[in-house]
Amino acid sequence: MRKKRILFVINPVSGGKKKTTFNKQVLEVLDLNRFEPTFKVTNHANHAFELAQSAIEEQYDAVIAVGGDGTINEIGTALVGSGIPLGIVPEGSGNGLAYYLGIPMNESAALRRINRFESVEIDCGKIADRCFFNIAGIGFDASVSDRFASETIRGPVGYLRTVINVISNYKPKKYTLKIDGKTYEREAFMISVANSPQYGNNAYIAPNASINDGLLDVCVVHKFPLYTLPMMIFHLFNKTADQSEYVEIIPGKEICIEQEGKAPVHLDGEPMDLGNKIDIKVQGNALKIIC
Protein backbone atom coordinates (compact mmCIF):
# COMPACT_ATOMS: atom_id res chain seq x y z
CA MET A 1 0.00 0.00 0.00
CA ARG A 2 1.32 3.46 -0.95
CA LYS A 3 2.49 5.65 1.91
CA LYS A 4 0.59 8.93 2.35
CA ARG A 5 2.78 11.91 1.51
CA ILE A 6 2.52 14.63 4.14
CA LEU A 7 3.97 18.13 3.92
CA PHE A 8 4.81 19.83 7.23
CA VAL A 9 4.84 23.62 6.80
CA ILE A 10 6.75 25.11 9.75
CA ASN A 11 6.47 28.75 10.82
CA PRO A 12 9.77 29.28 12.68
CA VAL A 13 8.64 32.40 14.59
CA SER A 14 5.05 31.55 15.63
CA GLY A 15 4.30 31.63 19.33
CA GLY A 16 7.86 32.61 20.15
CA LYS A 17 8.80 28.92 20.28
CA LYS A 18 11.97 27.41 18.81
CA LYS A 19 11.28 24.47 16.51
CA THR A 20 14.81 23.26 15.87
CA THR A 21 14.07 19.71 17.09
CA PHE A 22 10.63 19.42 15.47
CA ASN A 23 11.69 17.34 12.45
CA LYS A 24 13.41 14.83 14.71
CA GLN A 25 10.28 14.54 16.84
CA VAL A 26 8.12 13.87 13.78
CA LEU A 27 10.41 11.05 12.72
CA GLU A 28 10.11 9.54 16.21
CA VAL A 29 6.30 9.84 16.58
CA LEU A 30 4.81 9.68 13.08
CA ASP A 31 3.97 6.20 11.77
CA LEU A 32 6.62 5.99 9.05
CA ASN A 33 5.15 2.73 7.79
CA ARG A 34 2.09 4.68 6.64
CA PHE A 35 3.34 8.22 6.13
CA GLU A 36 6.18 9.87 4.22
CA PRO A 37 6.92 13.33 5.70
CA THR A 38 8.46 16.33 3.95
CA PHE A 39 9.45 19.52 5.82
CA LYS A 40 9.43 23.10 4.56
CA VAL A 41 10.01 26.28 6.58
CA THR A 42 8.30 29.59 5.84
CA ASN A 43 10.47 32.66 5.45
CA HIS A 44 8.13 35.44 4.32
CA ALA A 45 4.51 36.58 4.50
CA ASN A 46 2.10 34.33 2.53
CA HIS A 47 4.83 31.69 2.09
CA ALA A 48 2.66 29.04 3.80
CA PHE A 49 -0.09 29.75 1.24
CA GLU A 50 2.39 29.31 -1.63
CA LEU A 51 3.76 26.06 -0.19
CA ALA A 52 0.22 24.67 0.24
CA GLN A 53 -0.63 25.59 -3.35
CA SER A 54 2.45 23.69 -4.51
CA ALA A 55 1.40 20.73 -2.35
CA ILE A 56 -1.90 20.55 -4.24
CA GLU A 57 -0.07 20.51 -7.58
CA GLU A 58 2.34 17.87 -6.27
CA GLN A 59 -0.61 15.76 -5.04
CA TYR A 60 0.30 15.53 -1.36
CA ASP A 61 -2.19 13.64 0.79
CA ALA A 62 -2.18 16.23 3.61
CA VAL A 63 -0.57 19.52 4.63
CA ILE A 64 0.25 20.11 8.30
CA ALA A 65 0.40 23.65 9.72
CA VAL A 66 3.11 23.89 12.38
CA GLY A 67 2.24 27.32 13.70
CA GLY A 68 -0.63 29.45 14.91
CA ASP A 69 -3.96 30.62 13.51
CA GLY A 70 -2.22 32.80 10.90
CA THR A 71 -0.30 29.84 9.47
CA ILE A 72 -3.48 27.75 9.52
CA ASN A 73 -5.26 30.57 7.70
CA GLU A 74 -2.72 30.73 4.88
CA ILE A 75 -2.62 26.97 4.35
CA GLY A 76 -6.37 26.52 4.77
CA THR A 77 -7.11 29.26 2.25
CA ALA A 78 -5.02 27.42 -0.33
CA LEU A 79 -6.61 24.05 0.46
CA VAL A 80 -10.28 25.14 0.40
CA GLY A 81 -12.13 23.03 -2.15
CA SER A 82 -9.10 20.81 -2.88
CA GLY A 83 -10.21 17.85 -0.76
CA ILE A 84 -6.71 17.71 0.76
CA PRO A 85 -6.95 17.76 4.57
CA LEU A 86 -5.17 20.24 6.81
CA GLY A 87 -3.49 18.99 9.96
CA ILE A 88 -2.48 21.18 12.90
CA VAL A 89 0.44 21.11 15.31
CA PRO A 90 -0.45 24.15 17.48
CA GLU A 91 2.49 26.51 17.93
CA GLY A 92 0.81 29.93 18.05
CA SER A 93 0.02 32.55 20.67
CA GLY A 94 -3.71 31.75 20.82
CA ASN A 95 -4.36 28.51 18.89
CA GLY A 96 -8.09 29.22 18.82
CA LEU A 97 -9.14 26.68 16.19
CA ALA A 98 -6.93 23.93 17.64
CA TYR A 99 -8.35 24.45 21.14
CA TYR A 100 -11.90 24.26 19.81
CA LEU A 101 -11.20 21.09 17.83
CA GLY A 102 -9.58 19.45 20.86
CA ILE A 103 -6.18 19.14 19.20
CA PRO A 104 -3.53 18.70 21.93
CA MET A 105 -1.13 21.58 22.61
CA ASN A 106 1.64 19.02 23.17
CA GLU A 107 3.62 18.38 19.96
CA SER A 108 3.89 14.60 20.33
CA ALA A 109 0.20 14.23 21.19
CA ALA A 110 -0.77 16.39 18.19
CA LEU A 111 1.40 14.21 15.93
CA ARG A 112 -0.30 11.08 17.25
CA ARG A 113 -3.62 12.62 16.14
CA ILE A 114 -2.18 12.83 12.63
CA ASN A 115 -1.38 9.11 12.82
CA ARG A 116 -5.14 8.49 13.21
CA PHE A 117 -5.73 10.50 10.00
CA GLU A 118 -9.40 11.16 10.86
CA SER A 119 -10.90 14.39 9.54
CA VAL A 120 -13.96 16.63 9.82
CA GLU A 121 -15.29 19.17 7.34
CA ILE A 122 -15.58 22.75 8.55
CA ASP A 123 -17.12 25.96 7.20
CA CYS A 124 -15.16 29.09 6.47
CA GLY A 125 -15.93 32.78 6.19
CA LYS A 126 -15.00 34.51 2.95
CA ILE A 127 -14.17 38.16 2.35
CA ALA A 128 -13.57 38.53 -1.40
CA ASP A 129 -10.86 35.93 -2.13
CA ARG A 130 -9.70 35.74 1.49
CA CYS A 131 -10.86 33.15 4.00
CA PHE A 132 -11.03 32.82 7.76
CA PHE A 133 -11.65 29.63 9.69
CA ASN A 134 -11.74 30.84 13.29
CA ILE A 135 -12.62 34.52 13.82
CA ALA A 136 -12.48 37.75 11.83
CA GLY A 137 -12.78 41.06 13.60
CA ILE A 138 -12.96 44.79 13.34
CA GLY A 139 -12.41 47.33 16.09
CA PHE A 140 -10.40 46.73 19.25
CA ASP A 141 -9.22 43.16 18.52
CA ALA A 142 -8.15 44.16 15.00
CA SER A 143 -6.17 47.08 16.46
CA VAL A 144 -4.48 44.65 18.86
CA SER A 145 -3.64 42.28 15.98
CA ASP A 146 -2.24 45.19 13.96
CA ARG A 147 0.01 46.31 16.84
CA PHE A 148 0.99 42.75 17.80
CA ALA A 149 2.19 42.03 14.24
CA SER A 150 5.08 44.47 14.77
CA GLU A 151 5.95 43.36 18.32
CA THR A 152 9.26 41.62 18.94
CA ILE A 153 7.94 39.67 21.95
CA ARG A 154 5.63 36.88 20.72
CA GLY A 155 3.52 34.38 22.62
CA PRO A 156 0.81 35.02 25.25
CA VAL A 157 2.98 37.45 27.26
CA GLY A 158 3.63 39.67 24.24
CA TYR A 159 -0.03 39.54 23.28
CA LEU A 160 -1.21 40.54 26.77
CA ARG A 161 1.23 43.45 26.79
CA THR A 162 -0.18 44.62 23.46
CA VAL A 163 -3.77 44.36 24.73
CA ILE A 164 -2.92 46.57 27.74
CA ASN A 165 -1.16 49.15 25.54
CA VAL A 166 -4.04 49.39 23.05
CA ILE A 167 -6.95 49.41 25.53
CA SER A 168 -5.58 52.42 27.43
CA ASN A 169 -6.59 54.88 24.68
CA TYR A 170 -8.98 52.93 22.40
CA LYS A 171 -12.30 54.61 21.51
CA PRO A 172 -15.44 52.75 20.30
CA LYS A 173 -16.66 53.48 16.74
CA LYS A 174 -19.93 53.57 14.86
CA TYR A 175 -20.79 50.74 12.46
CA THR A 176 -23.57 49.88 10.05
CA LEU A 177 -24.23 46.14 9.79
CA LYS A 178 -26.39 44.29 7.31
CA ILE A 179 -26.98 40.68 8.33
CA ASP A 180 -29.11 38.53 6.02
CA GLY A 181 -30.91 41.61 4.73
CA LYS A 182 -31.57 43.32 8.08
CA THR A 183 -29.77 46.57 8.98
CA TYR A 184 -28.33 47.42 12.41
CA GLU A 185 -26.70 50.68 13.52
CA ARG A 186 -24.31 50.16 16.41
CA GLU A 187 -21.62 51.97 18.38
CA ALA A 188 -19.24 49.19 19.30
CA PHE A 189 -15.97 48.52 21.06
CA MET A 190 -15.41 45.73 18.54
CA ILE A 191 -17.24 43.36 16.23
CA SER A 192 -16.11 39.75 15.90
CA VAL A 193 -17.43 37.43 13.20
CA ALA A 194 -17.02 33.94 14.62
CA ASN A 195 -16.90 30.62 12.82
CA SER A 196 -15.63 28.89 15.97
CA PRO A 197 -16.40 30.02 19.53
CA GLN A 198 -13.04 31.21 20.80
CA TYR A 199 -10.14 33.53 20.10
CA GLY A 200 -7.68 31.12 21.66
CA ASN A 201 -6.34 30.25 25.12
CA ASN A 202 -9.96 29.26 25.99
CA ALA A 203 -11.32 32.83 25.69
CA TYR A 204 -14.82 32.32 24.25
CA ILE A 205 -16.36 35.30 22.44
CA ALA A 206 -19.19 33.29 20.80
CA PRO A 207 -19.94 30.31 23.07
CA ASN A 208 -22.58 28.80 20.76
CA ALA A 209 -20.74 29.18 17.45
CA SER A 210 -20.19 26.00 15.42
CA ILE A 211 -17.70 25.32 12.67
CA ASN A 212 -20.17 23.27 10.62
CA ASP A 213 -23.63 24.84 11.02
CA GLY A 214 -23.51 26.97 7.86
CA LEU A 215 -23.66 30.17 9.95
CA LEU A 216 -21.33 32.84 11.30
CA ASP A 217 -21.98 34.48 14.69
CA VAL A 218 -21.66 38.27 14.57
CA CYS A 219 -20.62 39.33 18.09
CA VAL A 220 -21.10 43.03 18.78
CA VAL A 221 -19.31 44.15 21.92
CA HIS A 222 -20.93 47.45 22.88
CA LYS A 223 -19.23 50.34 24.59
CA PHE A 224 -18.75 49.39 28.25
CA PRO A 225 -17.43 51.20 31.35
CA LEU A 226 -13.79 50.34 32.00
CA TYR A 227 -14.62 49.28 35.57
CA THR A 228 -16.61 46.34 34.12
CA LEU A 229 -13.53 44.99 32.29
CA PRO A 230 -12.81 42.28 34.92
CA MET A 231 -16.37 40.99 34.52
CA MET A 232 -16.04 41.06 30.71
CA ILE A 233 -12.86 38.97 31.01
CA PHE A 234 -14.65 36.60 33.40
CA HIS A 235 -17.43 36.09 30.83
CA LEU A 236 -14.85 35.35 28.11
CA PHE A 237 -13.15 32.60 30.09
CA ASN A 238 -16.36 31.25 31.61
CA LYS A 239 -18.05 30.71 28.20
CA THR A 240 -20.78 33.20 29.15
CA ALA A 241 -20.02 36.18 26.88
CA ASP A 242 -23.53 35.88 25.42
CA GLN A 243 -24.94 36.58 28.90
CA SER A 244 -23.22 39.96 29.22
CA GLU A 245 -25.44 43.02 28.81
CA TYR A 246 -22.69 44.54 26.65
CA VAL A 247 -22.55 41.67 24.12
CA GLU A 248 -25.03 41.10 21.30
CA ILE A 249 -24.75 38.02 19.07
CA ILE A 250 -26.53 37.84 15.70
CA PRO A 251 -26.10 34.72 13.52
CA GLY A 252 -26.06 35.10 9.75
CA LYS A 253 -24.88 33.86 6.37
CA GLU A 254 -24.34 37.13 4.50
CA ILE A 255 -22.84 40.01 6.45
CA CYS A 256 -21.80 43.52 5.48
CA ILE A 257 -19.96 45.75 7.98
CA GLU A 258 -19.31 49.42 7.23
CA GLN A 259 -17.17 51.44 9.61
CA GLU A 260 -16.50 55.12 10.11
CA GLY A 261 -13.11 56.02 8.71
CA LYS A 262 -10.25 53.63 8.06
CA ALA A 263 -9.10 50.92 10.47
CA PRO A 264 -7.57 47.43 10.18
CA VAL A 265 -9.54 44.20 9.98
CA HIS A 266 -8.12 40.89 11.17
CA LEU A 267 -8.69 37.44 9.71
CA ASP A 268 -7.68 34.72 12.18
CA GLY A 269 -5.48 37.24 13.96
CA GLU A 270 -3.71 38.48 10.82
CA PRO A 271 -4.28 42.23 10.31
CA MET A 272 -5.03 43.68 6.88
CA ASP A 273 -6.43 46.80 5.29
CA LEU A 274 -9.72 45.96 3.54
CA GLY A 275 -11.13 49.49 3.38
CA ASN A 276 -14.09 50.78 5.37
CA LYS A 277 -16.63 48.24 4.08
CA ILE A 278 -16.36 44.46 4.17
CA ASP A 279 -18.72 41.84 2.77
CA ILE A 280 -18.59 38.41 4.40
CA LYS A 281 -20.19 35.15 3.32
CA VAL A 282 -20.07 31.67 4.81
CA GLN A 283 -18.95 28.71 2.70
CA GLY A 284 -20.15 25.40 4.08
CA ASN A 285 -17.97 22.27 4.26
CA ALA A 286 -15.07 24.24 2.82
CA LEU A 287 -12.09 22.46 4.36
CA LYS A 288 -11.15 19.07 5.78
CA ILE A 289 -9.22 19.19 9.08
CA ILE A 290 -7.41 16.26 10.67
CA CYS A 291 -8.43 16.11 14.31
Side-chain angles (χ1 to χ4, degrees), residues 25-41:
Q25 193 166 14
V26 170
L27 297 177
E28 290 172 353
V29 178
L30 196 69
D31 184 350
L32 300 179
N33 293 316
R34 296 169 56 216
F35 303 107
E36 181 185 324
T38 300
F39 305 95
K40 294 189 178 177
V41 178

Side-chain angles (χ1 to χ4, degrees), residues 15 56 268:
I56 296 170
D268 291 335

Side-chain angles (χ1 to χ4, degrees), residues 7 40 48-60 78:
L7 175 63
K40 294 189 178 177
F49 175 83
E50 295 164 7
L51 292 172
Q53 277 191 318
S54 298
I56 296 170
E57 294 165 10
E58 295 165 23
Q59 298 183 326
Y60 274 85

